[in-house]
Amino acid sequence: HQAPRSTWGALAASLRIEVLTSLSGVDPEAWNALVGADDPFLEHEFLSSLEASRVIGRDTAWEMRFVTAFEGVTPVAAVPFFLKWDSYGEFVFDWAWAEAYQRAGMRYYPKLVAAAPLTPVAGRRLLGAASDDAILDALLARADRVASEEGASSFHVLFAEPDEVESEWTLVQNRADGGDVVEALAPDEMGDGNEVVTRRYEFYRYV
């Protein structure tokens, strides 16, 4: 049984955080308990069908990097990031950013995108206990490691719920104030010889 939500903050340090590149080893019922009953586009069955048909997953433009917290063998929180190698299927048009990076001699792809793949539908992107600040901070810290390891230029959270946007942006800013991440400059604002590439955070939702 999962711990009561009120105790998640105290347990955050004891949770195991993994980066899932497939849902094949995750119990469908346990994963769907994170997603909730009103978001079929992040349910285990939908994502598994896309993975089986090679729409998402390894060697596609939507490589799964689901940053997930486990209590024992049970997933209790997750942010469904994808490592994206283009901007197709997002329904957010950031080609201008890609072009600006190219003009500045930098790579825009890959990037990390939290979204329902190929689906411009608003929904939760902080799954399960990920809405707890302590757990979300741990998940974002691991996501930042993933971005460094994969060479990702930026984070994008697409079509999230309004309360999630506020929560995530507050944590990002707090981490920036603490020196863990820094606020990014646009590529054309970087001076000649600037070798520091900072990661952008973008949040989109329908209004």
Side-chain angles (χ1 to χ4, degrees), residues 83-167:
L83 189 69
K84 284 298 309 301
W85 295 89
D86 59 36
S87 295
Y88 293 108
E90 297 174 19
F91 302 92
V92 172
F93 303 104
D94 57 352
W95 305 110
W97 270 102
E99 292 173 1
Y101 268 66
Q102 185 177 26
R103 288 197 301 270
M106 299 186 299
R107 292 192 316 166
Y108 186 62
Y109 304 107
K111 59 182 180 175
L112 281 177
V113 177
L118 306 162
T119 309
V121 174
R124 301 207 70 78
R125 304 294 178 251
L126 307 182
L127 306 183
S131 56
D132 177 272
D133 282 356
I135 292 178
L136 178 57
D137 193 48
L139 294 173
L140 287 179
R142 186 57 182 272
D144 202 49
R145 281 177 51 195
V146 172
S148 295
E149 293 164 358
E150 302 279 7
S153 69
S154 48
F155 293 85
H156 306 251
V157 181
L158 307 186
F159 307 120
E161 296 293 346
D163 62 305
E164 295 181 306
V165 172
E166 181 178 357
S167 176

Side-chain angles (χ1 to χ4, degrees), residues 23 28-44 47 80 124 126-128:
L23 286 182
E29 185 175 352
W31 178 263
N32 290 344
L34 300 183
V35 176
D38 58 351
D39 192 354
F41 301 111
L42 284 177
E43 288 184 351
H44 195 285
L47 294 175
R124 301 207 70 78
L126 307 182
L127 306 183

